[in-house]
Amino acid sequence: MDLLVNIILSGLISGSVFALLAIGFSLIFGVARIVNIAHTTFYMVAAYCIYFVTHKLGFHPLWAWERPLS
């Protein structure tokens, strides 16, 4: 059962990443009418920045969530 949950979560996370990349491609192409090949490069730069901030500087990723205003 644990393996099934792990497979489902991994698939959802991977699918979400691919969906975000596809949405970014379609938005850039829809607005600028050019194919931006460097779109995935920007994604990888952001991933390396997040890795640096979370692992090297010690910040937890959940700190980025904004608390709701009451």
Side-chain angles (χ1 to χ4, degrees):
M1 185 66 180
D2 188 42
L3 179 65
L4 179 64
V5 171
N6 195 7
I7 290 172
I8 290 173
L9 286 176
S10 177
L12 286 174
I13 290 170
S14 296
S16 299
V17 168
F18 290 141
L20 284 174
L21 286 171
I23 290 170
F25 274 129
S26 64
L27 282 174
I28 294 295
F29 184 72
V31 172
R33 296 285 183 208
I34 57 171
V35 178
N36 186 8
I37 303 297
H39 186 74
T40 53
T41 305
F42 294 137
Y43 178 78
M44 287 306 300
V45 168
Y48 280 123
C49 289
I50 290 172
Y51 173 79
F52 178 75
V53 168
T54 56
H55 286 89
K56 301 296 182 184
L57 297 180
F59 289 108
H60 197 273
L62 292 179
W63 287 359
W65 278 3
E66 186 176 337
R67 292 185 354 195
L69 298 174
S70 53

